[in-house]
Amino acid sequence: MKLVTNENNPLSLKVLISANFAQKEILCEIADVDDPRFQSPRRLPVLELDTGEFLFSANSASRLLFPPHQSTSVVVDKWLEWESSELQPVLAYYLSATSKPDTGVSRQLKEYLTTLNLALSGKKFLTGEGVSVADVAVWSILFLLATGAKHLQELLSEQSHVQRWFSHLSLQPEVQVAVDQLCPKVGIAAYHSLANATWYPVNAVLSYVEKVPHSRIPSVNSLDGMSKESPLSEAEINAAAEAWQSGAARRPKPKPQVSPVLPVPGERNVLISSALPYVNNIPHLGTIIGCVLSGDVFARFSRLCNNNTLYICGTDEYGTATETKALEEGLTPQQICDKYFKIHDAVYKWFNISFDHFGRTTTAEQTEISQDLFLQLYENGFLSKESVEQLLCENCNRYLADRFVEGTCPRCAYEDARGDQCDGCGHLVNATELVSPRCKICQKRPVVTKSDQFFLELPKTEPLLRNWLIRVIDGWSHNARVITQAWLKDGLKPRCVTRDLKWGVPVPLDGYRNKVFYVWFDAPIGYMSITKTYTDQWEKWWRPERNTTVTYYNFIGKDNVPFHSVMFPSCLLGANRNYTLVSHIMATEFLNYEDEKFSKSRGVGVFGTDAKETGIPSDVWRFYLLYVRPESQDSNFSWVDLATKNNSELLNNLGNFINRSLVFAEKNFSRQVPDMLPGVQEWTLLALITRELKAYMGALENAKLRDGIRHILNISRHGNQYMQLLQPWVLLKGNDEERAHAGTVIGICCNIACLLAVLLKPYMPVTADILKEQLEAPDDVWIIIPEFTVLLPSGHKLGKHPSPLFSKIEPSRVDQLKKQFSGRQKSQSPEVNTTSSKPATSTVNVVTTQVQGDPSVIAKLSAAVAQQADLVRKLKGSGAAPSIWQPHVAVLLELKRHLASAQSINGNVNEASTATLNGLQVPNPAEVARLEAGIAKQPESYNIHLVFPENCN
């Protein structure tokens, strides 16, 4: 892990001290605040995790490094929230004053220090006897006082318990090492160091103080984790004030939802599709965030912008993978499709994916449109015929697709290579290249025959494709652009469109009707056929009228880019029928699970049907998947991180602000939005929120969905800090003017809560609906515009009994879930080894420089090869997952390599080396028998490792 910070940034103390207490090593890089890496947004310090993810909050990073004990986690989180949202902003403003701070600020800071002093009475540390991350966070921010000017130190000296606690912590070696390493500045110098790295509206603060010197603090920004922005301009503040006073009258009304949704001339029409998930398995979290959930957020946002929006998707059901799955389960391909379509449909409904229509590709509409497009390409000269060698199983009376052929790899001699790739050496192979090929179904040897197939002439469509790409590719995600340009770099090659199989869309030409289309050709056509099953006016979307413009967004994973950026557009361009072409390809990278790949066979990872069983609401799943959406690089799902984000961002930040606002309105204002008389403080707040609102819209318009979440949470933080700094519960006890000000604060906070409900709708639709009920929000607020206007006017009646929106995920639950989804346990079968819990292991130590050429060596290696090959065959025959038998393949390949080396060089072996060889723990018949017995009972518990000494080549 690496901590990146600007020079002397005191917030970095939190992270360094936490790492020291946890005995975790982190590198520390001092960066220039103008470093381009941290310009948008500019946030320092940043903790870069080993997974490649970044934590921009010093408190979150500290908690991750130095997690609290389960029994104290609730208390620790409360102190962390208090430090970041209450103590830190007041202290920052106190330090920022160019002259003596006003008495209101001094009084507020003293109140906080008194609170801390009372909490430490009779205790060594905030949570009891031991140091926690809460102590670290509060100590680090108070360091700016304790080592600063005399008047700063006097503030602490008035609080004896705080001073004792502070001195005790200061003597801890973990603290001293961090302070010596960072040498942070204090006082006003510390404030400027912070302000340079994280935005704080100094100009707005000082300007307001000059006008209203005895008011509470107008700043609503925490220094911890906020983005660096330019100070608010007078124009921004004035625009925010005008929008609040007059903007509600010009808000457009939300469009009523109609079905079917059709494009309208002269309006913005948005067509959205996500990659059709393959039907032969249950979708996992990577599939969900990679296509359907990302498309859903964008579709919901587009509807809130009053666009005519159609979101379609469905299951991709043809192809060899379906046939393979059907054989595994003893069903027909159609039965497999019917079974898994229902599973997919149920999963996406639980995740609240708002498809206008979720269809499938095994329909009459799919056959009709696919065949029609094929004939258009044929008539326009973009298809050619070529004779292709294929494998025919005469026993099964069928041509064999690549996945239905096995044989010996021509490169490495691995005996169970597939017809498309060798799992032994990893190289791609053609089925006809395999040595001793065999049909996977009946194990008979197929024969090589020739068959005429159709090829799409991509070289002929390439000029059309390049001309189109010039106009649209700038609007694609970065990886989509890079992958597409790589495909075009060396020129396109013809690609086979048809194959001699039965499960697929038939070729509509006499003499070829026993062939079907490759799934790469017909699957994207599913977007069109599914639209046709939705409405018979489908061509208004896919062949729009002259005065109608359709903007088409496609959400896919990076592995699907060539099919959507090169092949499908080439087909549509070659047809020359004014088809709608994709305007924006938004491709994600891959999502991993706890630094592993998702694997259904090994039980690793969370799949769509599992998420519901965890008891975690679908909205929380949506929030976290979008929070870690792999937009620019592969990202990682982590249970600890999910709980951290839920507890800190949803519960403590977003939920806390909304619930406090509504409960306060219920108890003190009879569930009515009070009269609001905004002043400079409020105009500053509204300008900050408007800035975040505009950034939110810009992010989502460009499908930067992760950034959209960040802007929502920033708005909530602004609201939290505004309420905390103005303290309406204190104002209510004051004079008439102060009580009126309390009403203003709560009224504006209720309106911020309503805005958050609208902005949350694309991300967390259930939460947004619950909040709508709690607010009794009118229907006309459900539209997004780049202005923050009054959404709930004074006198608006709120709903009854507001309840918390989120609940805490306890550490004990995290531990249970991590164990549940970590995969099958690798425990030894008692029949094989009753004295050890470790997997059965065969260790082979081969000193090649001493054994080459010896007949006895060759004999022993030959026997080992034969026995290992038999073991691999039995493992594969048992149905074990590739991850189980592939390590055994590695053993086999190494044994074969050393056997070949021994056979190719003549030499002598001395007695010592022979003894070494005789000591090889190579598989022998007894060992193989024990392994087979264990495999039969627990096939995933065995893993053979091959270990060679350093001098072995």
Side-chain angles (χ1 to χ4, degrees), residues 656-822:
N656 179 54
F657 166 69
I658 293 171
N659 192 246
R660 289 171 75 192
S661 302
L662 301 190
V663 168
F664 199 92
E666 179 185 45
K667 290 182 177 180
N668 298 282
F669 296 98
S670 302
R671 291 195 296 114
Q672 284 190 338
V673 176
D675 289 337
M676 294 172 282
L677 300 171
V680 176
Q681 294 166 301
E682 286 69 40
W683 301 144
T684 301
L685 170 67
L686 297 176
L688 292 170
I689 291 176
T690 301
R691 181 182 278 183
E692 296 291 347
L693 171 60
K694 291 179 178 179
Y696 167 94
M697 294 185 67
L700 266 71
E701 284 167 358
N702 290 287
K704 300 292 185 181
L705 308 183
R706 289 180 65 169
D707 284 348
I709 285 185
R710 178 170 62 82
H711 296 301
I712 290 174
L713 296 175
N714 281 350
I715 290 173
S716 178
R717 287 191 186 96
H718 287 318
N720 251 325
Q721 293 152 13
Y722 168 71
M723 180 186 288
Q724 196 62 39
L725 294 173
L726 273 293
Q727 295 189 337
W729 51 91
V730 176
L731 292 172
L732 275 177
K733 300 175 184 178
N735 55 35
D736 290 346
E737 183 180 349
E738 288 175 323
R739 287 195 295 273
H741 197 184
T744 296
V745 172
I746 294 305
I748 286 180
C749 286
C750 289
N751 273 272
I752 295 172
C754 189
L755 175 66
L756 287 169
V758 177
L759 302 184
L760 278 172
K761 185 72 172 179
Y763 292 93
M764 306 179 77
V766 174
T767 302
D769 289 344
I770 293 172
L771 189 49
K772 179 180 186 293
E773 293 180 7
Q774 293 188 9
L775 293 165
E776 288 288 348
D779 292 338
D780 61 3
V781 306
W782 297 97
I783 187 168
I784 295 177
I785 61 172
E787 292 181 325
F788 184 20
T789 68
V790 174
L791 302 174
L792 305 177
S794 299
H796 173 82
K797 197 74 172 178
L798 301 170
K800 296 181 180 179
H801 309 305
S803 57
L805 296 171
F806 309 105
S807 58
K808 184 175 182 180
I809 300 177
E810 298 291 345
S812 58
R813 182 59 177 150
V814 171
D815 293 339
Q816 293 171 357
L817 292 167
K818 286 182 69 174
K819 183 177 180 180
Q820 180 179 348
F821 295 103
S822 63

Side-chain angles (χ1 to χ4, degrees), residues 586-661:
M586 298 304 177
T588 59
E589 301 290 316
F590 293 143
L591 178 71
N592 295 320
Y593 175 83
E594 298 280 4
D595 297 322
E596 293 188 67
K597 298 293 185 184
F598 285 85
S599 172
K600 190 67 176 177
S601 62
R602 292 187 292 120
V604 174
V606 180
F607 287 71
T609 50
D610 301 322
K612 183 178 180 179
E613 305 303 320
T614 64
I616 297 173
S618 61
D619 265 17
V620 175
W621 282 106
R622 288 173 61 105
F623 165 81
Y624 182 68
L625 289 174
L626 290 156
Y627 199 106
V628 298
R629 184 174 183 257
E631 293 184 358
S632 58
Q633 61 184 10
D634 291 355
S635 63
N636 191 50
F637 173 92
S638 162
W639 284 110
V640 172
D641 190 44
L642 183 150
T644 300
K645 297 296 190 297
N646 175 82
N647 298 343
S648 61
E649 298 291 6
L650 292 183
L651 184 61
N652 292 342
N653 174 15
L654 185 65
N656 179 54
F657 166 69
I658 293 171
N659 192 246
R660 289 171 75 192
S661 302

